[in-house]
Amino acid sequence: MDFFSQLQSYFAQNSAEYLRCLAEHIQITLLSLGISALIGIPLGYCCHRFQQMGRWITGIFQVLRIVPSLAVLILLIPVLGVGLLPALVALILLAVPPILMNTTTAFAQIPAFYLETAQALGMDGHQKFWRVELPSALPQILVGVKTAAVEIVASAAIAAKIGAGGLGGLILTGLGLMRTDLLVVGGGSVALLAMCIGLIFELIQRRWMPYASSLRG
């Protein structure tokens, strides 16, 4: 049986299993990305507002990011066991730094005259944040979220090692059985999913970039 026939046979016989693995991978990705954004964006803004504290926070997360996700998973197993939770923790530690760094940079790069104009118009701190600072910073923040999303999609494949599911299960099975079709299906799906997420964020950025450009003009 040639390679393409193997692929056709796999999808004909295992389409339900494939869709389950794909759904699990997307679930892990969305959960990790959502929690990472909820942590990274507020922390990034705090790092901008309180720079001395920000240096400590940034340093801690940068050090944590150096540790490979697989090593983090192994270290978490005695504490959190196996399954989805330790996988989420490892992926969040991977994803928070790019979101945090881009958020800090985004707020730091807002031109001073934006804030001076907002103050001259009588805006209070709340209005200035929601009407001027956040819209100006959002395109750069989205760059960090996109980077984190792509890294999560690629790294989530290791979640299968501790029973969290996802497309990594197909890759591991393919390695164990020396089946090229499973490796191509699993690895190719991860690559395509990463590309799709990158494209989605590109479309979102195009929605916000003209607004940011008009502000700078």
Side-chain angles (χ1 to χ4, degrees), residues 15-93:
S15 58
E17 178 192 6
Y18 172 77
L19 292 175
R20 177 183 58 79
C21 291
L22 179 61
E24 289 173 349
H25 205 95
I26 293 173
Q27 179 190 35
I28 294 170
T29 298
L30 293 179
L31 280 173
S32 303
L33 185 62
I35 296 171
S36 299
L38 289 175
I39 295 171
I41 294 174
L43 271 183
Y45 182 70
C46 289
C47 289
H48 163 66
R49 289 291 304 273
F50 311 103
Q51 295 183 7
Q52 185 172 1
M53 179 186 71
R55 284 192 291 269
W56 283 96
I57 294 174
T58 302
I60 291 170
F61 275 98
Q62 290 288 48
V63 169
L64 290 173
R65 194 185 188 196
I66 295 173
V67 182
S69 299
L70 181 57
V72 175
L73 281 176
I74 294 172
L75 292 172
L76 289 174
I77 287 175
V79 180
L80 301 177
V82 297
L84 181 60
L85 184 57
L88 285 176
V89 173
L91 293 172
I92 289 167
L93 291 177

Side-chain angles (χ1 to χ4, degrees), residues 139 142 146 198-213:
L142 287 175
K146 180 178 74 172
L199 179 60
I200 290 171
F201 276 98
E202 284 290 337
L203 295 174
I204 295 174
Q205 284 177 257
R206 289 180 185 180
R207 165 66 181 86
W208 286 100
M209 288 300 281
Y211 181 57
S213 300

Side-chain angles (χ1 to χ4, degrees), residues 68-133:
S69 299
L70 181 57
V72 175
L73 281 176
I74 294 172
L75 292 172
L76 289 174
I77 287 175
V79 180
L80 301 177
V82 297
L84 181 60
L85 184 57
L88 285 176
V89 173
L91 293 172
I92 289 167
L93 291 177
L94 174 73
V96 166
I99 298 175
L100 186 152
M101 297 298 294
N102 276 60
T103 300
T104 304
T105 302
F107 282 104
Q109 290 181 345
I110 297 174
F113 74 86
Y114 286 7
L115 306 179
E116 294 168 359
T117 301
Q119 188 172 358
L121 292 173
M123 292 186 187
D124 57 26
H126 182 79
Q127 292 172 322
K128 186 167 61 175
F129 174 80
W130 288 105
R131 296 184 182 182
V132 178
E133 292 182 278

